[in-house]
Amino acid sequence: MLISVLLGLFVACLLVPFGHFFRDRKSLLLALVPGVIFLYFIQKLPAISSGQVLFESKNWVPALGVNLGFRLDGLSLLFVLLISGIGTLVFIYASSYLKGHRYLDKFFGYLLLFMSAMLGLVLSNNVLLLFIFWELTSISSFFLIGFNNEQEDSRRSALTALSITGLGGLILMAGLVWMGAIAGSFSFGEILNHASAIKGSKFYPYILALFLFGAFTKSAQYPFHFWLPGAMKAPTPVSAYLHSATMVKAGIFIMARFTPVLGGTEMWKWTLMIVGGFTMLYASILSMTKRDLKGILAYSTISALGILTFLLGIGTSHAIIAACVFILVHALYKAPLFLVTGIIDHETGTRDITKLSGLGKVLVPVALAGGLAGLSSAGLPFTFGFIGKDLIYETTLHLESKWGWYLTGLAILTNVGLVGAGLLAGFKPFMGRVREELRGVHMPSPLMWVPPLLLALLCVLFGWNPEWAGANLAEPAVKGILQKYVAVELKVWHGFNTIVILSLATLGIGVILFLLNPARLKSTPLVSFLESLRPGVVMGRMFVYFKRFATAYTDYFHDGYLRSYIIKMILFAEALLIYEIYRGGPFTIDFSKFSSIHVYDVAIIAVLLGALYKTLKTSSRLTAVVCLSVIGYAICVLFVVYSAPDLAMTQFTIDTLTVVLFVLVLYRLPPFLKFRSRKVMLRDAIISVVFGMLLSIICLRVLVEPARYNISDFYAKYAYTLGKGRNVVNVILVDFRGFDTMFEIVVLSVASIGVYSLLKLRLKSSEKE
């Protein structure tokens, strides 16, 4: 499993130096990567179908409880097959769709990166590893959505998607870490074993809120859904791959994966049912008001994701079966609809359904793929979509509460909209007479129309023979969610009952809605009301205010003046010190324990104060530097007097180096220019005096604190045995804190190189003058 996850990353890295070899027809070879992964995992079907769960683990960061642990059960296998199977067809499609694009190798690199991230996400058995792959999907999708980076809309859409999903990922991480803290491990198996402790914890509501926030952002639930329609600015292969079978279902996957950990409570149930129920109806209605084919498919995708969230919220065995089947149903009909949309756009230059008609006469196999996928989306009998919709109605009708019929009505209204949207996308462009401006349309390469046709045929194949999908895909996935065996029996015909009547009624009403002019819906009060609820508008306004705040904040705190940065850092440090001193409370000083003052102490302090006064009063930079060095040397003498020669030597060395650097740099600067007023100088004086007083108070407080020698004793005890040195200070610097010392040396070296570079630059400019 580790090799399968890393394979895409490895090939993506190889495209950096060798990508130019794959900018033509050889790009088709890259489809072998997901194809090989698909063939590998499909061999695991017998084992997983028999109830086995396969594990694989490699040590990575054991000190933090993070390992490369992978888990293959029915749920992860379902997603892996969708990711790699549909991925193979999308790679084939993209090799022709983007043929001749100068950045074709980069596109496939991003796509491989995304595929590996999704595989890692669904296979992870460690929640921290899951989070890493979760964020990697957001980053890689950012590059894919913004692939056409010369277009402002693409850049904006990519940033919006990254902002929403990235923020959700960070909040999700907090929930995952919290669960790991309660379970005492970041392994999903251990977290699963401590599910009762997590649900019984007083922190459960907060964990659930953090977790669902992250899941809702990725799965485009209201009010976070608006990034997905904007993401349609991406090339069509991206839309087909990310937004039908993979990325948007990542949120669905983690909700399904953590159902046995967090699910089963009233809070879980009603949150998912309310959010998912509103999302599916809201997006279903809006999907019928769009003219852009991608817009129709985007909102119908949001509606489908709402249905899956709604089903996971219900949480019964019927609901989980319906969810697992609908995951496969939706992927099989939505991916070909996106690919067909890409062909239409590629050949006609438009996706506006009001400008498309009669294409079925020239794009016969494309029309067949779109029609079959559209019929499955509509839920026509003997298609896989019909079985998916039947299971949804079966779920709501089997609820024992009084809400069963109300939820069934909600599902019917949603599915009516999805029927109309599916027929609009799958049939409308191909019906009627060929428009004059479309008569030059010709058939694209088979590499473009064969992938959607294969997926559309699977919709019919599984519709006629659903038993195989039920026993080998849905049943193990249900067990992976519920952690128990539940029989899944999918049949073409269950008899003429209430569910069949509701399915046929839904199909009939949806067909009538399709035959009407959907554009008229834009003027209805309901649609106008739903449009006003768009959070994208609210978020846009919030962004404007946030940008103003950020601009003002940046202008004030990052004005580019070193003196301003230093003042703000000192003020912040003073605030922290005052707070800590206040928290510590009053303290008393025993002056009898102080050493007596000698004449040489007074002389050293006098020299120090005299140098300080001269530093403040002089108008010469060179004099100020010399006076500062006198202050440093006076402190060195104090160190020697009070038996700290090692500190004195260090201080002496640093002061000497500082003076040399100051002289070299300041020697070439112009004389002092007095920009500051007396008010500014008074402000700086007050800040400086307060800072000095605070440090003095801290030093006095340290004197009355009881001494602790644990660390000193440790260093003294082990300096020779572990560090092989008799000088404890040297062993501390070189061995125990060797990395600190190394980084200090690096910092000094970088500073020295910087100063030297500035001097050389100055000398060269002077020579030119």
Side-chain angles (χ1 to χ4, degrees), residues 272-292:
L272 267 65
M273 286 176 62
I274 292 172
V275 173
F278 181 81
T279 301
M280 69 187 197
L281 181 60
Y282 169 86
S284 174
I285 295 173
L286 287 183
S287 67
M288 290 295 297
T289 68
K290 304 300 175 184
R291 295 184 176 181
D292 184 278

Side-chain angles (χ1 to χ4, degrees), residues 225-226 228-230 232 281-303 338 341 350-356 417-418 420-426 428-429 513-514 516-524 526-537:
H225 69 282
F226 61 90
L228 196 148
M232 294 301 135
L281 181 60
Y282 169 86
S284 174
I285 295 173
L286 287 183
S287 67
M288 290 295 297
T289 68
K290 304 300 175 184
R291 295 184 176 181
D292 184 278
L293 284 171
K294 275 193 174 184
I296 295 170
L297 296 177
Y299 276 96
S300 63
T301 297
I302 296 170
S303 181
F338 269 114
T341 297
T350 182
R351 298 193 302 263
D352 191 336
I353 59 172
T354 62
K355 299 178 181 178
L356 296 169
L418 291 181
L423 295 177
L424 279 175
K428 180 64 173 67
L513 188 63
F514 162 69
L516 297 174
N517 185 1
R520 292 177 182 171
L521 289 174
K522 285 186 173 293
S523 60
T524 62
L526 176 60
V527 174
S528 300
F529 173 71
L530 292 175
E531 288 283 354
S532 67
L533 295 179
R534 287 187 305 162
V537 177

Side-chain angles (χ1 to χ4, degrees), residues 127-413:
V127 294
L128 294 184
L129 185 65
L130 181 147
F131 167 74
I132 292 172
F133 285 117
W134 177 278
E135 289 297 87
L136 190 57
T137 62
S138 297
I139 295 170
S140 54
S141 65
F142 165 77
F143 291 112
L144 288 169
I145 295 170
F147 181 68
N148 297 319
N149 52 50
E150 68 282 357
Q151 300 175 8
E152 184 180 354
D153 288 346
S154 295
R155 298 194 300 270
R156 186 187 299 111
S157 298
L159 286 172
T160 301
L162 180 64
S163 300
I164 299 298
T165 58
L167 175 63
L170 293 176
I171 294 175
L172 171 68
M173 180 185 68
L176 295 176
V177 171
W178 213 333
M179 280 189 278
I182 294 175
S185 172
F186 293 112
S187 168
F188 175 75
E190 288 298 317
I191 291 176
L192 187 61
N193 293 334
H194 290 79
S196 57
I198 294 173
K199 293 177 187 177
S201 170
K202 63 180 180 180
F203 301 114
Y204 172 75
Y206 308 107
I207 295 173
L208 183 62
L210 294 170
F211 178 84
L212 291 182
F213 187 96
F216 288 166
T217 55
K218 188 81 85 173
S219 58
Q221 298 300 291
Y222 187 92
F224 309 110
H225 69 282
F226 61 90
W227 68 265
L228 196 148
M232 294 301 135
K233 298 295 181 182
T236 297
V238 176
S239 302
Y241 194 35
L242 273 66
H243 306 137
S244 64
T246 53
M247 179 179 172
V248 291
K249 287 197 175 75
I252 302 299
F253 170 81
I254 65 165
M255 284 190 285
R257 174 62 82 200
F258 283 85
T259 291
V261 178
L262 299 173
T265 65
E266 291 296 308
M267 191 178 300
W268 167 278
K269 173 182 176 181
W270 287 107
T271 302
L272 267 65
M273 286 176 62
I274 292 172
V275 173
F278 181 81
T279 301
M280 69 187 197
L281 181 60
Y282 169 86
S284 174
I285 295 173
L286 287 183
S287 67
M288 290 295 297
T289 68
K290 304 300 175 184
R291 295 184 176 181
D292 184 278
L293 284 171
K294 275 193 174 184
I296 295 170
L297 296 177
Y299 276 96
S300 63
T301 297
I302 296 170
S303 181
L305 296 171
I307 291 174
L308 290 169
T309 303
F310 174 75
L311 292 172
L312 291 173
I314 294 175
T316 62
S317 58
H318 288 95
I320 300 302
I321 292 172
C324 291
V325 172
F326 193 68
I327 288 171
L328 182 59
V329 168
H330 177 257
L332 290 181
Y333 75 69
K334 188 55 63 69
L337 287 176
F338 269 114
L339 296 178
V340 166
T341 297
I343 295 174
I344 293 172
D345 188 20
H346 189 272
E347 299 302 322
T348 66
T350 182
R351 298 193 302 263
D352 191 336
I353 59 172
T354 62
K355 299 178 181 178
L356 296 169
S357 65
L359 294 178
K361 295 180 175 61
V362 288
L363 304 177
V364 178
V366 179
L368 179 61
L372 293 176
L375 291 175
S376 183
S377 173
L380 185 74
F382 302 105
T383 65
F384 206 27
F386 176 77
I387 295 173
K389 285 183 171 57
D390 269 13
L391 291 173
I392 296 172
Y393 293 151
E394 184 179 356
T395 297
T396 55
L397 289 175
H398 276 79
L399 293 176
E400 297 179 357
S401 66
K402 62 179 181 180
W403 292 96
W405 278 102
Y406 295 109
L407 296 180
T408 302
L410 178 65
I412 291 172
L413 292 174

Side-chain angles (χ1 to χ4, degrees), residues 4 54 77 80 97 111 140 149 247 265 344 347 380 423 458 465 509 518 528 723 752-753 755:
S4 300
L54 306 179
L77 181 61
V80 165
Y97 184 85
L111 207 59
S140 54
N149 52 50
M247 179 179 172
T265 65
I344 293 172
E347 299 302 322
L380 185 74
L423 295 177
L458 285 177
N465 301 281
I509 299 171
S528 300
S752 302
I753 293 171
V755 172

